[in-house]
Amino acid sequence: MSEEEAMQAEAISVYQAHWKQKQALYADTDADTDTLKQFAAAEALVGAKNDVQRMRDANQVITGKVTMGDQTVTKSDLNRKVPKLFLSTCLDITQWNVLDAKTRKPVSLPSTRLTKYTVDSLVEKWPQGWRVVRDRPMGKKC
């Protein structure tokens, strides 16, 4: 495996861990969102914390699991002070169940809700390791 391939694999692994951590936070109304700092920073960290807070404010939790299609490196710039990779992923949330946090009854969701959609992300290698710095749903099916 080349150095570039190893860096890409490491960045993708952190990206996957980022989503697993978000999934855990969505399921637990008391979990500490600071755990996201080991996987995310900047815009992605703020966005993830805001998403968790919105779920908590709405008294909702999500159970089930997120599935990620192949993460495709769409662009990379690894020969710089802060190496970075741009990823495109098909996120599949069909196994997620949005529930009322107290009653554990399903929450009504719009029939037009996308459950498989493209997410474009930026992952950078910071001194502490790879971090997801941008994670944007593109609003299109995959």
Side-chain angles (χ1 to χ4, degrees):
M1 179 181 287
S2 72
E3 183 180 349
E4 181 174 337
E5 290 170 329
M7 289 177 79
Q8 288 180 0
E10 188 179 346
I12 288 169
S13 177
V14 167
Y15 180 77
Q16 293 169 343
H18 162 76
W19 269 99
K20 287 182 182 184
Q21 185 61 37
K22 284 174 63 171
Q23 177 179 287
L25 290 170
Y26 291 158
D28 184 350
T29 57
D30 296 320
D32 183 358
T33 58
D34 280 343
T35 58
L36 285 166
K37 289 180 182 176
Q38 58 190 311
F39 309 109
E43 179 184 318
L45 178 60
V46 171
K49 284 185 171 193
N50 287 342
D51 289 346
V52 170
Q53 191 58 52
R54 273 192 293 280
M55 294 292 298
R56 291 176 179 176
D57 290 347
N59 194 35
Q60 296 175 347
V61 293
I62 296 175
T63 61
K65 70 176 193 168
V66 65
T67 305
M68 289 168 270
D70 289 337
Q71 288 79 57
T72 303
V73 176
T74 57
K75 183 179 174 185
S76 65
D77 191 355
L78 302 176
N79 298 319
R80 51 181 283 149
K81 186 175 181 178
V82 178
K84 61 183 174 180
L85 289 174
F86 293 87
L87 301 174
S88 181
T89 304
C90 182
L91 201 68
D92 180 348
I93 60 170
T94 55
Q95 296 179 40
W96 272 5
N97 303 299
V98 181
L99 307 173
D100 180 284
K102 288 189 171 104
T103 67
R104 297 303 232 198
K105 291 185 180 178
V107 171
S108 178
L109 299 170
S111 60
T112 56
R113 173 177 165 250
L114 285 177
T115 56
K116 289 183 182 179
Y117 54 92
T118 302
V119 177
D120 286 347
S121 308
L122 171 60
V123 186
E124 293 181 343
K125 188 168 187 180
W126 290 25
Q128 308 86 342
W130 286 97
R131 297 294 185 266
V132 179
V133 296
R134 187 172 63 223
D135 201 35
R136 293 184 181 160
M138 301 312 295
K140 60 183 180 180
K141 288 183 183 183
C142 55

